[in-house]
């Protein structure tokens, strides 16, 4: 698996971990990748092919296997950014389900980041999504 496939795999796993892939989540997934290299240089057809391949693994082997295959292909810096994107994507529909929370917790435990770094990343992205202003 290439690093581009692996990074997209983590993002896909984040939106699929609760057993559904809603329209808002699918759009958020696309937006989270489209400005990043190397995805920004790919055609719609190439991106479709990438996700078709990843969806086969997801459907046949599940979210855990998709993540298992992806993580070794990512450097710690790439893992950190993939985690940030995953947290961002779990907030795409403005609700983080129990399944999404479990997924993020398990992902943090599997990353090869310095102690406490994954939690800091999760907390920072969660703070960005906090609805803290009164109406």
């Amino acid at each position: 698996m290439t690093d581009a496939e692996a990074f997209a795999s983590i993002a896909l796993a984040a939106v699929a971990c609760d057993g559904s892939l809603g329209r808002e989540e699918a759009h958020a997934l696309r937006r989270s990748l489209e400005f990043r290299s190397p995805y920004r240089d790919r055609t719609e057809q190439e991106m479709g092919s990438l996700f078709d391949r990843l969806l086969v693994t997801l459907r046949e082997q599940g979210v855990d296997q998709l993540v298992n295959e992806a993580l070794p292909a990512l450097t710690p810096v790439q893992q950190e950014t993939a985690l940030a994107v995953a947290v961002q994507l779990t907030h795409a529909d403005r609700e983080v389900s129990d399944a999404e929370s479990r997924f993020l917790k398990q992902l943090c435990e599997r990353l090869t980041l310095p102690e406490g770094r994954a939690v800091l990343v999760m907390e920072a992205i969660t703070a960005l999504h906090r609805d803290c202003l009164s109406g």
Side-chain angles (χ1 to χ4, degrees):
M1 181 176 284
T2 67
D3 60 350
E5 292 168 331
F7 193 91
S9 293
I10 300 298
L12 177 60
V15 297
C17 69
D18 61 357
S20 68
L21 180 58
R23 196 172 82 135
E24 286 181 47
E25 291 174 319
H27 286 292
L29 174 59
R30 177 62 189 192
R31 281 191 313 271
S32 72
L33 297 180
E34 67 186 4
F35 71 92
R36 296 178 186 280
S37 158
Y39 313 107
R40 67 175 168 233
D41 298 326
R42 294 189 178 180
T43 65
E44 288 291 322
Q45 184 178 10
E46 291 169 326
M47 288 300 289
S49 293
L50 168 65
F51 281 106
D52 286 346
R53 288 190 309 274
L54 298 179
L55 283 166
V56 167
T57 301
L58 178 67
R59 287 185 189 115
E60 292 178 357
Q61 300 176 24
V63 168
D64 286 339
Q65 185 59 31
L66 189 61
V67 172
N68 285 342
E69 291 179 19
L71 287 179
L74 298 173
T75 67
V77 169
Q78 292 168 330
Q79 288 181 11
E80 181 179 73
T81 303
L83 172 62
V85 169
V87 176
Q88 174 92 9
L89 288 169
T90 62
H91 285 85
D93 59 1
R94 292 173 288 290
E95 275 188 48
V96 179
S97 70
D98 290 342
E100 290 168 326
S101 292
R102 277 191 305 277
F103 168 79
L104 291 173
K105 182 177 184 242
Q106 291 169 352
L107 180 60
C108 285
E109 293 168 355
R110 297 162 75 184
L111 299 174
T112 57
L113 300 179
E115 184 71 31
R117 183 69 183 161
V119 172
L120 290 175
V121 170
M122 269 189 39
E123 289 173 349
I125 302 302
T126 300
L128 286 172
H129 288 276
R130 188 177 302 130
D131 190 7
C132 64
L133 301 175
S134 58

